[in-house]
Amino acid sequence: MLSGGGGMLGGAAYIAIIRFLVSLVGVILLYSLISEPRYDRKRTAIYYGVFSVLMVSAAGVWYVVDWASCVKMAAFVMYICFCVVAIHMSVDPVPLSLYKLALTFYLLAVFLISGIEIAVIFFDRNVWADVITRVLLIIAMAVFIDKKIKSSILGFGRYVENELDWFSIAIMIISILFGIGFILNPNVAERTPYRLFSIAMNFFLTGALQFLVYRLYMHIGEEKKYQKENQLMQMNHRLLERNIEILEEAVMSGKRARHDARHHNAVIAEYVRREQKEELLKYLKEYEKELDESMTEVICANTAVNNILSAYTRRARKESIDVQLDVELSGELAIPSIDLVTILANAYENAIYGCMEAQKQQSGKDCFIHLMIRRRKNKLVICCSNSCTIEAQIKNGQPKPEATGGIGVLSIIKTADKFDGEYDFRNKEGVFFFRLMMNIPMAEGKVQVLGG
C-alpha cells in the first residue's frame, strides 16, 4: 500500500524492490533528522543498513510469492517493523518517539502519493517517474528539515518530553492514521477531480493537525521556560535579601562594638585611675565571657557557606524550628562559593517553607531541619531532612512547586548538573528528604587533598 505503487502502477519485481528501498531509506533519513540517536553516526548507519537489506529482501520475496497481499500489506508491515527499530535506535522517550514517527509517517504519505499521482497524471503511469519524484521529494524534505526546522524540532522535543501524555499522543496518531488511511485507500483507483481534491484536503487537515500540536507544545514549553526564569528571579531576590540581612547584622554588630568599646574603655580607665587591679581583672574576665557568648556561631571554615547557613539558621529558630547542623567543610573548595550558596540557600529556604506549612496544618507541631554536609574524597555530599506536610507531592523526581514555595528546586538542579551531580527528593510520611552528591572539580595545578 505505502510503497504501494507496485499495485497502483504495476511493474516487475526489481522495480517493486527499488520502490520499497527508496521509501524505506526516505523514512529512515527523515526520522533520523528529527530524532536523537542512541548510537554514533557509524553504528547508526550500519544498523539501519542491515535493517533495510532485511526488510527489502523480505518484501521482494513477498511480492513475487503473493503479489496481491504484498501490495496491500507489505508497506504497513515494514513501517511497523521500522517503528520498533526506530524506538530502540533513539534516546527519545517512547511518547516523543511515537510523535516523531507519526510526523515521519505523514511525510512518507506525502512523497508516496505525490509520486504516484504525478506519474499517473503527467507521465502515463510511468514507474520511473514515480521513483524519481519520490527521490526528489525526499531530498527536498531532508534539506528543508536540516536547514530550517531541525533545531526547532529538537528543542520542541524537549518541551514535549515533559508535557506530552499517552492520551494526547494516542489521539493524535489515530487521527493521522485515519487521514492517511483514507488517502491510501487501494480500492479507489479512479483519478477524478473529486478524488484529487479529497487527497489535497486530507493532506492539509492532517498537516494542520501536526502544526497545531507543534504550536501547542511550543507555547506550553515557552510558558514553562518563562515560569522557570521567574523562579530564578525570585530565588535571586531571596538570596539578595539574605545577603542584605547579613550585611545589616554586620553593620549593627560593628556599631554595637564601637559603642561598647567606648563604654568598656571608660570603665577600664576608671579602674586604673583608682588602682583597683583585682576589680579590673574580674571585670576583664566578665567582658571576655560576654564576648564569647555574643560571637557569631561558627558552623564551618568556609566563610560564604558559614554566613548563609548562619542567616537561615537564625531565621529557622525564629520560627520555632529545631535546627541540627552537621557540617564539615574546609575553607578552600574548588566549587565556586556562589554555586555552594545557591544550592544551600535554596535547600534551606525550601526546608523552612516545608516546616512552616506543616505548622500551619497542625498548630503547635514540633518541626525540625537536619542538614549534613560532608566531603568524601572528590565528592561533596549534602543531605537535608525536614518536617513537611504529608500531602507534599513529588512529580518526575522533583517536588511540586507548592511543596517548596514555588522556587529553588530548578536552581539546585541546574547548579548540580554543572558538577555532574546526582540528586534525590522524597517525602516519607511527612518528612522531606533531599540528597545531593556532586563532583568536586580538580583545582588547576593542584592535587586534591582527600578527606575533609
Side-chain angles (χ1 to χ4, degrees), residues 188-240:
V188 181
E190 66 276 7
R191 280 352 187 235
T192 62
Y194 176 76
R195 165 67 176 167
L196 297 177
F197 175 76
S198 298
I199 291 175
M201 288 304 300
N202 271 274
F203 272 134
F204 172 77
L205 293 175
T206 308
L209 174 63
Q210 291 272 355
F211 181 73
L212 288 175
V213 170
Y214 172 81
R215 293 292 300 173
L216 170 65
Y217 284 103
M218 281 294 286
H219 175 74
I220 293 174
E222 290 294 333
E223 184 177 353
K224 292 288 185 180
K225 180 181 177 181
Y226 294 143
Q227 289 177 357
K228 291 177 179 178
E229 291 177 352
N230 183 51
Q231 290 177 12
L232 289 175
M233 291 176 64
Q234 292 183 47
M235 180 274 296
N236 290 331
H237 177 71
R238 292 192 181 186
L239 286 180
L240 287 173

Side-chain angles (χ1 to χ4, degrees), residues 120-171:
V120 170
I121 296 173
F122 298 105
F123 296 97
D124 193 26
R125 306 176 70 89
N126 187 295
V127 294
W128 296 112
D130 173 36
V131 172
I132 293 173
T133 301
R134 294 186 191 189
V135 172
L136 293 176
L137 287 175
I138 291 170
I139 294 174
M141 292 176 180
V143 172
F144 179 77
I145 291 174
D146 186 59
K147 299 296 184 183
K148 299 295 183 180
I149 62 174
K150 181 178 179 179
S151 58
S152 62
I153 287 179
L154 294 178
F156 159 75
R158 286 187 283 272
Y159 296 148
V160 175
E161 181 178 346
N162 295 323
E163 305 299 332
L164 193 62
D165 57 273
W166 281 102
F167 178 78
S168 299
I169 194 71
I171 294 298

Side-chain angles (χ1 to χ4, degrees), residues 25-40:
V25 171
V27 167
I28 292 173
L29 175 62
L30 297 176
Y31 179 76
S32 299
L33 288 173
I34 61 175
S35 66
E36 294 280 0
R38 184 182 300 274
Y39 307 108
D40 58 61

Side-chain angles (χ1 to χ4, degrees), residues 369-393:
I369 297 175
H370 295 169
L371 177 63
M372 185 272 287
I373 306 175
R374 284 281 193 279
R375 178 173 178 172
R376 293 290 181 263
K377 296 184 179 181
N378 66 329
K379 303 285 186 181
L380 182 66
V381 181
I382 300 173
C383 296
C384 182
S385 60
N386 60 272
S387 305
C388 68
T389 60
I390 297 178
E391 296 79 10
Q393 297 182 3

Side-chain angles (χ1 to χ4, degrees), residues 316-332:
R317 287 171 177 164
K318 287 180 182 178
E319 300 293 340
S320 301
I321 300 171
D322 178 53
V323 178
Q324 295 185 23
L325 301 176
D326 182 9
V327 182
E328 292 183 4
L329 202 61
S330 61
E332 292 186 7

Side-chain angles (χ1 to χ4, degrees), residues 332-395:
E332 292 186 7
L333 202 63
I335 298 176
S337 296
I338 185 63
D339 292 320
L340 281 174
V341 168
T342 297
I343 293 173
L344 295 174
N346 282 290
Y348 216 148
E349 182 95 31
N350 294 341
I352 293 173
Y353 180 86
C355 290
M356 293 173 64
E357 289 297 300
Q359 289 172 339
K360 289 180 183 178
Q361 188 180 76
Q362 184 178 342
S363 179
K365 180 178 180 179
D366 294 330
C367 293
F368 69 89
I369 297 175
H370 295 169
L371 177 63
M372 185 272 287
I373 306 175
R374 284 281 193 279
R375 178 173 178 172
R376 293 290 181 263
K377 296 184 179 181
N378 66 329
K379 303 285 186 181
L380 182 66
V381 181
I382 300 173
C383 296
C384 182
S385 60
N386 60 272
S387 305
C388 68
T389 60
I390 297 178
E391 296 79 10
Q393 297 182 3
I394 307 294
K395 181 180 179 182

